[in-house]
């Protein structure tokens, strides 16, 4: 193999029926800023089965890695549901650190640090005392009412601001809301920007492209199927690990972008404005708007939700998903080039299962190649596949495996900032070791691929 990682063990992955660390839809479980790298995960409370919210940080490129954890003991996570993960965000403008945790159609659970913590190297400042209490509203909310029915919270840093995004509503019938945080310390509601009507949009992620200050989102729609208790507000059937509306009802690859912090959205095919978002109901994107359809993929085609996306240096959109439209389930790379349009490539080497662990796509910082971080789905191997442009220099169609190792059982999360700014591919996941699961971070020096 061309790569070999430095491995940091952050602690034991708490035992549970459904894993709560390392899921693709966390998006921001690991991130970096100001020379530090941060990771959020549940750690084990040795005295009980409860799980505790933990943030660890280290100085980037410090050898050996010296992770300093901060564990909050004022909240015990007990719901055994893989949706109830943790997300972390950093506002570059004021150096605040934000975390949201333990949601599956639940009241918001959120806390924020004091300003400047993300740029403060003082080890004494890195403690629970630098964070505020748990809140059920976002600072600056125009109402004192708690934010309810929250699932999949995620943060995304911009130049000096930060987005907060989440689903409001149940699987198959939810919509996504967008807030913007700035250096005033307040969140402003942009609105329900992605609206599901008898379906649920599942973003592969949200991405900020700094050269043009644009926000990008791709998604698949999960169509709503009636089930017993669907109209009963007291029913909790939708809060199951695998609810009544499953991925067999997923369809399509959709894409939209915004050039004004999520207030207006445009179709990539026509460049026309398709929605202006406000706090008023029904002003966002219709998630099934045909003007936003990048690829027609029918239901029962083996596609997953919330797999992975990125915007590369050239501004192209890359999406990783899977399909079974040819008779077998395969990993699929969807690439939108503004000049040439969409291209679809089938990845070699691995064949995923329909609902197996999800992967990520990221750009090699010092070259033109793309890296896919793929859990094998049929065994415990974690694999990094490099894709390069072929003879046409247009599409990525030459592949090789640059690393593979067995024993990993989580979905890999990637620190995109560390890749783009430092040339380090940092992966957060879990692995089996000595009869237990560990929470780990893998560091790959991508300079070793430069001259290969």
């Amino acid at each position: 193999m061309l790569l070999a990682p430095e491995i940091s063990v952050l602690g034991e992955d708490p035992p549970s029926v459904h894993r709560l660390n390392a899921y693709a839809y966390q998006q921001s479980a690991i991130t970096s800023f100001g020379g530090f790298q941060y990771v959020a995960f549940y750690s084990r409370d040795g005295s009980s089965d409860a799980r505790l919210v933990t943030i660890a940080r280290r100085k980037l490129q410090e050898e050996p890695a010296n992770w300093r954890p901060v564990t909050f003991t004022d909240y015990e996570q007990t719901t055994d549901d893989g949706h109830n993960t943790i997300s972390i965000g950093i506002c570059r403008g004021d150096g605040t650190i934000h975390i949201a945790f333990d949601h599956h159609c639940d009241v918001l659970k959120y806390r924020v640090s004091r300003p400047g913590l993300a740029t403060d190297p003082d080890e004494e400042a890195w403690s629970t005392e630098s964070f505020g209490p748990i809140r059920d509203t976002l600072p600056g909310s125009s109402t004192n009412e708690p934010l309810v029915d929250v699932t999949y919270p995620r943060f995304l840093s911009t130049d000096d601001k930060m987005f907060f995004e989440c689903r409001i509503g149940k699987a198959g019938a939810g919509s996504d809301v967008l807030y913007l945080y700035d250096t005033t310390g307040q969140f402003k509601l942009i609105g329900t920007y992605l609206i599901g009507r008898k379906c649920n949009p599942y973003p592969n992620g949200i991405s900020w492209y700094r050269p043009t200050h644009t926000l990008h989102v791709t998604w698949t729609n999960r169509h709503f199927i009636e089930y017993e208790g669907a109209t009963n507000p007291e029913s909790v059937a939708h809060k199951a690990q695998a609810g009544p509306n499953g991925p067999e009802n997923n369809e399509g690859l959709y894409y939209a972008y915004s050039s004004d912090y999520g207030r207006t959205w445009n179709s990539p095919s026509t460049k026309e404005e398709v929605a202006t978002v406000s706090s008023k109901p029904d002003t966002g994107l219709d998630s099934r708007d045909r003007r936003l359809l990048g690829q027609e993929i029918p239901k029962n085609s083996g596609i997953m939700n919330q797999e992975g996306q990125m915007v590369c240096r050239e501004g192209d959109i890359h999406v990783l998903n899977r399909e079974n439209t040819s008779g077998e389930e395969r990993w699929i790379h969807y690439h939108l080039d503004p000049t040439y349009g969409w291209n679809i490539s089938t990845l070699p080497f691995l064949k995923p299962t329909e609902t197996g662990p999800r992967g990520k796509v990221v750009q090699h910082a010092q070259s033109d190649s793309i890296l896919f971080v793929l859990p094998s789905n049929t065994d415990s191997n974690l694999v990094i596949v490099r894709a390069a442009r072929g003879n046409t220099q247009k599409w990525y169609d030459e592949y090789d495996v640059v690393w593979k190792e067995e024993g990993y059982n989580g979905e890999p999360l990637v620190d995109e900032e560390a890749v783009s700014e430092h040339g380090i591919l940092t992966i957060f996941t879990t692995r089996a070791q000595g009869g237990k699961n560990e929470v780990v971070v893998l560091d790959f020096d991508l300079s070793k691929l430069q001259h290969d």
Side-chain angles (χ1 to χ4, degrees), residues 126-169:
W126 184 242
S127 68
T128 56
E129 285 71 28
S130 292
F131 289 82
I134 298 172
R135 304 173 54 116
D136 57 16
T137 60
L138 295 169
S141 173
S142 59
T143 173
N144 290 324
E145 295 296 318
L147 187 61
V148 299
D149 282 339
V150 174
T151 310
Y152 306 129
R154 68 184 87 210
F155 300 96
L156 177 68
S157 295
T158 67
D159 298 317
D160 61 352
K161 301 179 177 65
M162 184 191 70
F163 290 105
F164 173 79
E165 195 257 22
C166 70
R167 186 184 80 193
I168 300 295

Side-chain angles (χ1 to χ4, degrees), residues 242-349:
N245 285 277
E248 68 278 1
N249 299 317
N250 292 348
E251 63 84 14
L253 172 61
Y254 297 78
Y255 164 52
Y257 69 93
S258 171
S259 300
D260 59 359
Y261 290 90
R263 295 177 180 88
T264 59
W265 290 85
N266 302 283
S267 162
S269 58
T270 65
K271 304 297 188 291
E272 67 176 312
E273 182 181 311
V274 294
T276 300
V277 183
S278 73
S279 57
K280 297 179 181 179
D282 294 328
T283 61
L285 298 164
D286 181 339
S287 72
R288 289 195 282 176
D289 189 330
R290 301 289 294 184
R291 294 172 294 177
L292 306 176
L293 181 64
Q295 296 295 323
E296 184 99 47
I297 311 169
K299 290 187 289 184
N300 296 296
S301 294
I303 61 174
M304 193 57 161
N305 45 278
Q306 302 153 299
E307 195 91 55
Q309 74 167 49
M310 70 138 183
V311 185
C312 69
R313 282 191 302 273
E314 297 79 13
D316 295 10
I317 306 303
H318 298 266
V319 178
L320 171 68
N321 210 313
R322 62 191 78 188
E323 288 185 21
N324 184 7
T325 52
S326 63
E328 61 179 356
E329 195 83 14
R330 300 300 299 266
W331 295 104
I332 305 293
H333 173 206
Y334 307 89
H335 174 194
L336 176 60
D337 181 294
T339 302
Y340 301 110
W342 285 97
N343 182 66
I344 302 175
S345 302
T346 300
L347 301 187
F349 308 123

Side-chain angles (χ1 to χ4, degrees), residues 31-33 36 38 88-98 118 155-158 161-162:
T31 189
S32 54
F33 170 66
F36 286 96
Y38 301 83
I88 184 171
I90 298 175
C91 177
R92 293 171 172 245
D94 66 2
T96 49
I97 302 170
H98 307 247
F155 300 96
L156 177 68
S157 295
T158 67
K161 301 179 177 65
M162 184 191 70

Side-chain angles (χ1 to χ4, degrees), residues 345-412:
S345 302
T346 300
L347 301 187
F349 308 123
L350 293 176
K351 296 179 182 179
T353 59
E354 188 168 324
T355 58
R358 288 160 280 208
K360 289 294 181 186
V361 55
V362 67
Q363 187 170 36
H364 184 334
Q366 289 89 21
S367 78
D368 187 40
S369 60
I370 300 295
L371 301 174
F372 298 94
V373 186
L374 304 174
S376 75
N377 280 204
T378 56
D379 55 34
S380 64
N381 280 318
L382 185 62
V383 182
I384 300 177
V385 175
R386 175 174 55 179
R389 296 182 191 267
N391 293 330
T392 65
Q393 291 297 302
K394 184 189 299 185
W395 306 117
Y396 294 86
D397 54 12
E398 294 183 351
Y399 304 93
D400 63 328
V401 173
V402 296
W403 179 78
K404 179 173 71 173
E405 190 171 287
E406 64 180 6
Y408 294 88
N409 48 28
E411 295 182 341

Side-chain angles (χ1 to χ4, degrees), residues 10-11 36-44 51-58 66-75 86 88 97 99 101 111-114 117 120 122-132:
L10 302 181
F36 286 96
Q37 188 171 57
Y38 301 83
V39 64
F41 59 98
Y42 289 114
S43 60
R44 186 176 186 180
R51 295 164 284 269
L52 302 178
V53 174
T54 298
I55 307 176
R57 85 170 180 179
R58 65 163 175 179
N66 180 26
W67 289 94
R68 291 178 53 84
V70 167
T71 298
F72 299 91
T73 59
D74 58 349
Y75 182 84
I86 309 173
I88 184 171
I97 302 170
I99 50 174
F101 51 93
R111 68 197 322 158
V112 59
S113 77
R114 64 165 175 79
L117 182 61
D120 189 345
D122 185 1
E123 292 189 358
E124 295 299 321
W126 184 242
S127 68
T128 56
E129 285 71 28
S130 292
F131 289 82

Side-chain angles (χ1 to χ4, degrees), residues 101-227:
F101 51 93
D102 198 16
H103 305 95
H104 190 185
C105 302
D106 290 302
V107 174
L108 178 70
K109 290 176 280 292
Y110 158 87
R111 68 197 322 158
V112 59
S113 77
R114 64 165 175 79
L117 182 61
T119 56
D120 189 345
D122 185 1
E123 292 189 358
E124 295 299 321
W126 184 242
S127 68
T128 56
E129 285 71 28
S130 292
F131 289 82
I134 298 172
R135 304 173 54 116
D136 57 16
T137 60
L138 295 169
S141 173
S142 59
T143 173
N144 290 324
E145 295 296 318
L147 187 61
V148 299
D149 282 339
V150 174
T151 310
Y152 306 129
R154 68 184 87 210
F155 300 96
L156 177 68
S157 295
T158 67
D159 298 317
D160 61 352
K161 301 179 177 65
M162 184 191 70
F163 290 105
F164 173 79
E165 195 257 22
C166 70
R167 186 184 80 193
I168 300 295
K170 63 182 67 174
S175 297
D176 282 60
V177 299
L178 191 65
Y179 292 79
L180 185 65
Y181 176 92
D182 60 27
T183 53
T184 65
Q186 308 292 302
F187 283 92
K188 293 181 176 63
L189 173 64
I190 295 173
T192 303
Y193 82 104
L194 191 53
I195 301 171
R197 294 185 172 93
K198 281 294 181 178
C199 71
N200 187 145
Y202 278 96
N204 294 304
I206 52 175
S207 300
W208 178 255
Y209 186 53
R210 286 193 173 91
T212 57
H213 305 282
T214 49
L215 180 63
H216 302 261
V217 60
T218 69
W219 68 93
T220 184
N221 283 312
R222 179 174 297 181
H223 289 248
F224 184 74
I225 304 298
E226 294 291 342
Y227 60 90

